[in-house]
């Protein structure tokens, strides 16, 4: 209780930890999925390291709870996963991102997919239906999944992966470096991109070895034809180093936090596709 004085950030981390709180949030989330306007999607620009222009966006779900205000995804995504709502939540984000960001003059629309959602048998077919409905080319969609989604032994994920990639959908390995697999193993996975976790970027300039590690990961990825995005770029020095070691894409508060689609249009001169 004493720690609560540390403020809202700590409070939100603890949010939903007790059974009662979780049950309340679950019921509220169920309702939010049936209601207009509580859930929303924010878009964080993906910056091409080549010319520092916006090459795409990552869609990130937002929940504006009527009583509690903004609830962070790391609080409610796990609840959705545990109570069987992740399929609906994930589809909401996919549909909304394709409908809203699809018509914009952006290369890539990246969407996070929970391992549980990814493993459901009809994931690929439902995804293709959403793309067709939005009139969006599969080549513009990039699915961000973590290694746990790719490493399931049942073979369902491998099958879905092949099906999606055969149709042009790209796959990004999210939070690279935070899991348990070795780098050499992960780099052999059939992915189009690796998203280097924020923790590596944060250490640049503070931990002497981190720059060598980042440089090597980028070289390894490029050697097998995989692109690299660096997450959590907050400082100009980090940007400059990442550009110097040939990182492909940069993302972080230095360029922009996640914003509304309207703000993308207004602040980054993103227009509509012709
Ligand atoms: P993630 O996929 O690694 O997304 C990046 C997170 O880092 C986002 O937090 C973003 O706002 C934050 N971020 C971006 N740039 C910076 C930076 O420069 N510094 C710092 N400190 N943070 C930065 P967010 O939106 O709170 O999402 C957190 C996590 O929740 C995501 O991590 C992802 O794992 C999950 N998530 C978010 N949206 C979705 C979704 O639609 N579906 C699923 N399945 N998971 C989602
Ligand atoms: Ca992500
Ligand atoms: Ca990530
Ligand atoms: Ca993450």
């Amino acid at each position: 209780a004493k720690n609560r004085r540390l403020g809202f950030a700590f409070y939100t981390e603890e949010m939903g930890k007790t059974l009662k709180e979780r049950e309340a949030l679950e019921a509220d989330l169920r309702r939010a999925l049936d209601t207009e306007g509580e859930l929303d999607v924010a878009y964080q620009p993906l910056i091409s390291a080549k010319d520092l222009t916006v090459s795409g966006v990552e869609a990130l779900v937002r929940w504006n709870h009527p009583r509690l205000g903004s609830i962070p995804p790391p609080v409610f995504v796990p609840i959705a996963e545990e109570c069987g709502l992740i399929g609906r939540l994930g589809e909401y984000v996919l549909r909304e991102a394709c409908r809203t960001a699809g018509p914009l003059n952006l290369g890539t629309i990246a969407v996070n997919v929970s391992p549980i959602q990814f493993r459901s048998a009809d994931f690929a077919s439902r995804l293709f239906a959403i793309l067709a409905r939005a009139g969006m080319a599969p080549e513009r969609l990039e699915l961000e999944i973590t290694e746990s989604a790719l490493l399931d032994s049942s073979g369902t994920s491998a099958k879905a992966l092949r099906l999606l990639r055969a149709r042009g959908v790209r796959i990004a390995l999210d939070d690279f470096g935070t899991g348990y697999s070795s780098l050499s193993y992960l780099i052999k996975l059939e992915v189009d991109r690796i998203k280097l976790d924020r923790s590596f970027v944060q250490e640049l300039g503070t931990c002497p070895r981190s720059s060598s590690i980042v440089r090597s990961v980028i070289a390894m990825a490029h050697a097998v034809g995989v692109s690299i995005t660096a997450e959590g770029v907050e400082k100009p020095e980090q940007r400059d180093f990442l550009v110097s070691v040939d990182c492909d894409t940069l993302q972080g508060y230095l360029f922009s936090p996640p914003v509304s689609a309207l703000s993308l249009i207004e602040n980054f001169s993103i227009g509509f596709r012709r």
Side-chain angles (χ1 to χ4, degrees):
K2 187 174 152 225
N3 281 326
R4 297 240 153 149
R5 266 185 263 134
L6 291 176
F8 188 67
F10 181 79
Y11 174 71
T12 54
E13 240 174 65
E14 289 297 295
M15 210 178 212
K17 287 274 166 76
T18 72
L19 186 61
K20 244 178 94 181
E21 276 175 341
R22 285 184 75 89
E23 281 173 348
L25 282 180
E26 180 187 327
D28 290 348
L29 185 59
R30 217 172 273 283
R31 193 209 51 237
L33 281 163
D34 293 323
T35 319
E36 274 288 295
E38 272 188 53
L39 293 171
D40 198 3
V41 177
Y43 302 92
Q44 186 173 36
L46 302 168
I47 309 294
S48 160
K50 208 168 54 228
D51 52 9
L52 299 183
T53 59
V54 179
S55 61
V57 288
E58 177 178 356
L60 293 153
V61 68
R62 294 291 176 257
W63 183 13
N64 191 17
H65 190 285
R67 196 164 36 82
L68 300 169
S70 170
I71 300 183
V75 171
F76 68 89
V77 169
I79 294 178
E81 287 176 332
E82 278 164 38
C83 68
L85 292 174
I86 193 64
R88 286 185 65 198
L89 183 67
E91 253 184 53
Y92 162 78
V93 177
L94 269 171
R95 229 183 305 113
E96 180 60 28
C98 293
R99 192 175 64 88
T100 305
L104 299 180
N105 194 14
L106 295 162
T108 301
I109 316 291
V111 179
N112 294 283
V113 176
S114 150
I116 295 170
Q117 184 191 2
F118 190 73
R119 271 186 231 122
S120 82
D122 57 353
F123 174 72
S125 61
R126 298 181 75 103
L127 176 73
F128 294 136
I130 290 170
L131 282 170
R133 196 149 179 203
M136 198 172 115
E139 289 79 10
R140 292 181 58 220
L141 182 67
E142 191 161 286
L143 301 179
E144 298 195 358
I145 51 188
T146 52
E147 64 182 77
S148 66
L150 297 173
L151 300 178
D152 96 288
S153 49
S154 71
T156 331
S157 301
K159 227 173 111 190
L161 208 62
R162 275 196 300 275
L163 196 62
L164 291 162
R165 294 188 82 218
R167 292 259 208 122
V169 175
R170 281 171 295 137
I171 306 292
L173 178 56
D174 209 349
D175 301 338
F176 181 84
T178 60
Y180 297 104
S181 309
S182 73
L183 300 190
S184 54
Y185 182 80
L186 285 173
I187 260 163
K188 287 183 208 135
L189 291 172
E190 305 249 318
V191 299
D192 303 279
R193 178 182 301 278
I194 277 170
K195 296 198 74 177
L196 191 64
D197 191 70
R198 183 164 82 227
S199 52
F200 290 96
V201 177
Q202 264 164 355
E203 280 176 356
L204 288 174
T206 61
C207 165
R209 285 184 178 178
S210 62
S211 49
S212 311
I213 295 171
V214 169
R215 194 195 304 266
S216 311
V217 171
I218 293 172
M220 270 201 279
H222 284 170
V224 291
V226 169
S227 302
I228 284 256
T229 297
E231 299 184 327
V233 181
E234 295 180 356
K235 298 179 179 155
E237 305 84 73
Q238 296 166 343
R239 173 199 59 203
D240 295 344
F241 174 78
L242 290 160
V243 168
S244 79
V245 294
D246 209 19
C247 187
D248 302 283
T249 308
L250 311 175
Q251 179 179 7
Y253 294 163
L254 177 65
F255 306 101
S256 171
V259 296
S260 68
L262 187 62
S263 161
L264 275 182
I265 295 169
E266 285 176 348
N267 300 322
F268 293 90
S269 359
I270 303 293
F272 288 88
R273 297 172 74 79
R274 315 191 307 130

